[in-house]
Amino acid sequence: MANVYITRMIPQEIIDTLRRSHEVEVNPEDRALTRAELLRQIHGRDAVISLLTDSIDGEALDAAGPQCRIFANYAVGFNNFDVAAATQRGVIMTNTPGVLDEATATHAWALLLAAARRIPESDRYLRAGLWRGWAPMDFLGQDVDHKTLGIAGLGRIGTQFARKAAAFDMKVIYSDLKPSPEFERQYGATFVDKATLLRESDFLSLHLPLMAETRHYIGAAELAAMKPTAVLINAGRGPLVDEPALVEALRNKVIWGAGLDVFENEPLLAPGLAELENVVIVPHIASATTHTRMAMGQIAIDNVIAVLKGEPPLTCINPAVLG
Ligand code: DGY
């Protein structure tokens, strides 16, 4: 029986399904493995289901050993994978695309609305017993309806995010490597360059993959180019934003607000970020719905089961290894 290691607890039903056909061991601790534990635990496994917090590079692949056929990420993002190193060693890498688009896009909207209408800030105020009754000038926020929504990165999640803008009759502009005429037709969206996106967006949401080219897509210069009333949303990857620069911009009201699901050095926050009232921060939970986390697990085990049977996986990141 092939031996599969799962680096952290995922939904039990998924593990039970995999156990019907394979020997499965799961990290019993409710925490990420240390690097030393990871290297030790993956040694000798035929397949590994890893998390976005596990860095799977050449060292990890070598620690797993040449019998290891697949690393299946329990995430759509795979910036924790050294894909070239895996391809060089003939190891298959997979992710979980498609099943978390709606949950993640909805969560980005939750951040947008919460930041625009100052929901967490006013909730804190009320709980602290500070409310003295209705007041005309309390917690004035930003209108969302009829505003300009900017989208950086028009992948599956960016597209789902755009789709929901119709509810607020927003003008949608977007930037990506190339325009999508089909998307423009469907959503009345306009393709713009990055400078226009920064200049015109009332709300700017990041849906780019994290790569060398997209690291610090938003830094001090980009923040300065945005409207002083703008709200930045990031439910992609933390390093898309220069977080200390964002803290400065929020503190000095260079932009009006932000909603962040992801951070540059998770689980740490940039100094000063948590003290700011004009930012909504949540701990990387955009895909955290029961249904979505099950669906992610199902893809991960379907990939593992297929590869261990000698079949191609459903969602291969490095198809070059399939020959
Ligand atoms: C992903 O899948 O990449 C998210 O960040 C976690 O679901």
Side-chain angles (χ1 to χ4, degrees):
M1 231 190 211
N3 186 300
V4 184
Y5 188 73
I6 306 179
T7 65
R8 191 161 177 178
M9 192 66 190
I10 61 173
Q12 187 63 49
E13 296 92 316
I14 295 296
I15 297 170
D16 292 344
T17 306
L18 187 58
R19 280 207 167 114
R20 287 191 209 124
S21 52
H22 296 88
E23 226 173 77
V24 181
E25 198 181 330
V26 185
N27 167 14
E29 311 269 352
D30 187 21
R31 61 168 176 81
L33 295 171
T34 65
R35 180 72 177 167
E37 288 169 338
L38 175 75
L39 298 183
R40 195 168 58 245
Q41 291 295 349
I42 62 180
H43 177 71
R45 310 290 180 173
D46 300 304
V48 176
I49 296 180
S50 55
L51 304 190
L52 55 88
T53 44
D54 303 317
S55 173
I56 307 301
D57 53 12
E59 183 189 33
L61 292 159
D62 291 339
Q67 80 300 324
C68 187
R69 304 287 321 283
I70 171 171
F71 275 78
N73 226 25
Y74 184 75
V76 67
F78 52 88
N79 52 289
N80 59 312
F81 277 177
D82 183 339
V83 181
T87 306
Q88 202 185 20
R89 290 164 177 78
V91 178
I92 294 169
M93 291 188 137
T94 62
N95 64 341
T96 63
V99 292
L100 49 77
D101 307 341
E102 291 199 335
T104 303
T106 297
H107 187 74
W109 270 100
L111 287 172
L112 188 157
L113 294 171
R117 298 307 304 271
R118 303 172 66 175
I119 304 291
E121 186 190 350
S122 51
D123 177 286
R124 285 192 291 272
Y125 173 86
L126 186 53
R127 288 169 197 270
L130 299 171
W131 195 34
R132 297 286 166 263
W134 191 86
M137 300 308 287
D138 272 0
F139 294 104
L140 302 183
Q142 296 292 340
D143 281 316
V144 175
D145 295 78
H146 321 300
K147 294 292 179 138
T148 298
L149 180 67
I151 300 174
L154 196 71
R156 291 185 211 85
I157 297 169
T159 304
Q160 284 300 326
F161 182 78
R163 195 171 67 81
K164 299 173 197 297
F168 297 100
D169 189 28
M170 296 175 92
K171 173 181 174 191
V172 178
I173 57 176
Y174 73 104
S175 177
D176 207 328
L177 293 179
K178 54 179 174 31
S180 164
E182 174 55 25
F183 174 76
E184 292 178 21
R185 218 174 9 259
Q186 248 185 312
Y187 300 104
T190 308
F191 180 76
V192 295
D193 60 16
K194 184 175 175 183
T196 308
L197 188 76
L198 294 169
R199 192 176 61 245
E200 293 190 0
S201 295
D202 293 305
F203 298 91
L204 174 55
S205 193
L206 309 182
H207 299 284
L208 298 157
L210 176 62
M211 302 178 296
E213 304 76 21
T214 58
R215 186 172 291 273
H216 288 187
Y217 178 84
I218 299 290
E222 287 77 15
L223 290 159
M226 291 172 71
K227 295 182 183 181
T229 49
V231 176
L232 177 71
I233 304 300
N234 189 7
R237 282 291 182 265
L240 294 174
V241 177
D242 177 344
E243 207 170 291
L246 177 62
V247 170
E248 273 313 292
L250 289 168
R251 188 180 282 142
N252 299 321
K253 311 281 188 291
V254 173
I255 64 167
W256 190 81
L260 308 176
D261 180 61
V262 289
F263 304 89
E264 205 170 352
N265 296 301
E266 295 178 8
L268 303 176
L269 303 183
L273 185 68
E275 284 78 62
L276 295 170
E277 288 289 11
N278 55 345
V279 62
V280 178
I281 47 174
V282 293
H284 204 149
I285 56 168
S287 68
T289 71
T290 307
H291 171 82
T292 299
R293 290 286 161 88
M294 285 282 289
M296 290 164 67
Q298 190 64 50
I299 295 199
I301 66 167
D302 285 349
N303 280 325
V304 164
I305 291 168
V307 168
L308 293 178
K309 266 202 280 191
E311 293 169 6
L314 278 69
T315 57
C316 191
I317 295 165
N318 56 345
V321 293
L322 301 176

